[in-house]
């Protein structure tokens, strides 16, 4: 059993893909717990893996000192290790088992009074199941994808957006110098938030998002329209979840034991090959990949993570469980976990963002 200093002990785990701001949230949780509520915080190592395998340690003020600007999570994370579908090898055979009873035993053995789960939809859906089994849980939303409808925005998104925008700025100059079509593939799973926002901020000419299926002819039309105006280069931002009209997404790999097994990726190259063939323009593709998940969190993400962390501890202290903290600008509120999960937030093709982008001449590759 991890020994603490105070009577009450709350666990914290970070699950799913990491994102900038996780350390800021851990810091806020520890500081609020120690200073305001005389509560110990037990850090669980590597997300649900640590709960299943009993890997946890007390986090002191010293542990969280100076971690705010650091990307990643000092606790480690995992987007596999689902306690309800846990991968193991038994007698040389790959099998999946429900080990949630092991998780509950470990929680009781560690004398944990409550658990704060920081994660995206997959991680929070597991948290909700554990809550229904009697574990006192409070959720905190995070993801660079910004695809949770239960909060105005998740922390991690703003920093990923900065990274993608900076990359597009850099691509711009080389595209112009070489008179090329340059494609930047960004993350976001089945939501186009990173592509839409970075595309607008980076001055892209074409933005391809999952919510607006594209047509190659429409992309080509835009490129030639620009050529006709003396612009011999074009920047296309493509979301990894984009798909052509009547077509499907490009799957990069399947992660069998993941909470969300499909990994997207490769649409950028597919679009690049086709555009080069159709236009004769030399085309290059840059896939930003996990760079978008790293780096020091932006001030916005640090502040949002701090507010979420502090509020989550207050909920624990008040005994309000089965809730998730959420930003409803300008307030931090809490909503039932079961209302928060399974409701993906997508870009509306009629949104003001899309309209404004079209006004300034950006094509979505649809008309
Ligand atoms: O959800 C965050 C995210 O970075 C997605 O944008 C991306 O599709 C996925 O995770 C990548 O997952 P992995 O780290 O397993 O490759």
């Amino acid at each position: 059993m991890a020994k603490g200093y105070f009577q009450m002990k709350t666990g914290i785990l970070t699950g799913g893909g990491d994102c900038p701001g996780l350390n800021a949230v851990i810091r806020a949780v520890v500081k609020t717990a120690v200073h305001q509520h005389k509560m110990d915080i037990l850090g669980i190592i590597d997300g649900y893996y640590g709960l299943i395998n009993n890997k946890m340690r007390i986090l002191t003020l010293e542990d969280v000192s100076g971690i705010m600007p650091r990307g990643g999570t000092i606790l480690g994370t995992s987007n596999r290790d689902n306690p309800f579908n846990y991968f193991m090898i038994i007698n040389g055979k790959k099998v999946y088992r429900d080990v949630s009873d092991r998780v509950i035993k470990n929680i009781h053995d560690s004398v944990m009074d409550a658990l704060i789960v920081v994660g995206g939809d997959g991680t929070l859906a597991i948290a909700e199941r554990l809550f229904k089994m009697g574990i006192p849980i409070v959720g905190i939303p995070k993801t660079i994808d910004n695809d949770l409808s239960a909060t105005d925005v998740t922390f991690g998104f703003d920093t990923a957006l900065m990274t993608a925008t900076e990359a597009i700025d850099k691509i711009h100059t080389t595209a112009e110098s070489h008179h090329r079509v340059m494609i930047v593939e960004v993350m976001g799973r089945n939501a186009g938030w990173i592509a839409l926002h970075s595309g607008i901020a980076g001055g892209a000419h074409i933005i391809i998002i999952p919510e607006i299926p594209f047509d190659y002819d429409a992309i080509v039309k835009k490129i030639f329209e620009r050529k006709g105006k003396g612009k011999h280069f074009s920047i296309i931002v493509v979301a990894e979840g984009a798909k052509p009209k009547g077509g499907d997404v490009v799957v990069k790999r399947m992660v069998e034991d993941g909470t969300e097994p499909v990994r997207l990726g490769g649409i950028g190259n597919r679009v690049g090959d086709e555009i080069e063939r159709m236009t004769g323009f030399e085309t290059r593709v840059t896939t930003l990949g996990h760079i978008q998940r790293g780096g020091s969190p932006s001030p916005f993400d640090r502040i949002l993570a701090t507010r979420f962390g502090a509020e989550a501890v207050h909920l624990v202290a008040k005994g309000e469980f089965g809730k998730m903290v959420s930003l409803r600008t300008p307030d931090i509120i809490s909503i039932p976990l079961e209302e928060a999960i399974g409701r993906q937030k997508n870009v509306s093709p009629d949104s003001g963002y899309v309209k404004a982008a079209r006004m300034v001449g950006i094509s979505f590759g649809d008309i």
Side-chain angles (χ1 to χ4, degrees), residues 16-18 79 142-145 147 186-190 194 240 252-253 255 260 262-265 289-290 292-293:
D18 69 342
N79 48 10
K142 65 89 223 177
T143 166
I144 63 164
D145 304 337
D147 59 353
V186 297
M187 282 184 165
R189 232 183 267 272
N190 295 306
I194 300 177
E240 63 179 1
K252 190 171 186 190
R253 74 181 67 200
V255 180
E260 163 53 66
V262 178
R263 291 294 181 278
L264 299 169
H290 291 80
Q292 294 159 97
R293 293 233 300 257

Side-chain angles (χ1 to χ4, degrees), residues 140-211:
I140 299 181
K142 65 89 223 177
T143 166
I144 63 164
D145 304 337
N146 194 34
D147 59 353
L148 302 181
S149 54
T151 180
D152 287 355
V153 68
T154 48
F155 66 84
F157 173 65
D158 187 62
T159 310
L161 181 58
M162 262 172 45
T163 303
T165 303
E166 260 175 51
I168 298 166
D169 285 347
K170 287 178 178 158
I171 291 288
H172 224 107
T173 50
T174 174
E176 191 164 9
S177 309
H178 283 267
H179 318 297
R180 283 172 169 164
V181 172
M182 298 292 273
I183 295 179
V184 182
E185 181 183 311
V186 297
M187 282 184 165
R189 232 183 267 272
N190 295 306
W193 297 106
I194 300 177
L196 175 64
H197 285 235
S198 66
I200 295 174
H205 310 110
I206 301 163
I207 301 175
I208 310 288
I209 57 175
E211 295 85 347

Side-chain angles (χ1 to χ4, degrees), residues 48-104:
Y48 288 116
Y49 173 87
L51 269 191
I52 296 167
N53 296 292
N54 212 6
K55 306 262 184 245
M56 25 189 118
R57 68 181 167 92
I58 290 288
L59 292 178
T60 62
L61 290 173
E62 190 58 31
D63 288 321
V64 298
S65 173
I67 66 171
M68 175 104 98
R70 276 169 58 187
T73 157
I74 57 164
L75 291 174
T77 185
S78 158
N79 48 10
R80 320 174 88 122
D81 305 311
N82 177 352
F84 295 98
N85 192 34
Y86 189 55
F87 173 78
M88 38 183 129
I89 296 181
I90 298 180
N91 297 331
K93 270 197 180 156
K94 290 181 180 178
V95 292
Y96 292 88
R97 291 279 184 272
D98 182 342
V99 294
S100 51
D101 51 345
R102 215 156 102 186
V103 164
I104 288 172

Side-chain angles (χ1 to χ4, degrees), residues 38 49 148 178 226 230 237 242 277 308 364:
K38 302 272 175 271
Y49 173 87
L148 302 181
H178 283 267
R226 286 179 48 76
V237 176
R277 191 187 65 74
F308 277 173
F364 284 85

Side-chain angles (χ1 to χ4, degrees), residues 24 68 155 158-159 162 296-306:
M68 175 104 98
F155 66 84
D158 187 62
T159 310
M162 262 172 45
S296 184
S298 67
F300 180 89
D301 282 340
R302 294 181 196 193
I303 294 166
L304 183 59
T306 300

Side-chain angles (χ1 to χ4, degrees), residues 253-326:
R253 74 181 67 200
M254 298 296 285
V255 180
E256 281 177 56
D257 55 337
T259 45
E260 163 53 66
V262 178
R263 291 294 181 278
L264 299 169
I267 184 71
N269 280 309
R270 204 166 279 187
V271 171
D273 289 347
E274 195 56 16
I275 292 303
E276 187 166 73
R277 191 187 65 74
M278 289 173 79
T279 62
F281 266 103
E282 212 182 351
T283 302
R284 294 288 186 271
V285 179
T286 302
T287 303
L288 293 190
H290 291 80
I291 284 175
Q292 294 159 97
R293 293 233 300 257
S296 184
S298 67
F300 180 89
D301 282 340
R302 294 181 196 193
I303 294 166
L304 183 59
T306 300
R307 294 180 75 195
F308 277 173
E311 183 57 25
V313 175
H314 288 320
L315 288 177
V316 167
K318 285 190 283 180
E320 287 189 30
F321 299 115
K323 299 269 183 77
M324 186 192 86
V325 296
S326 148

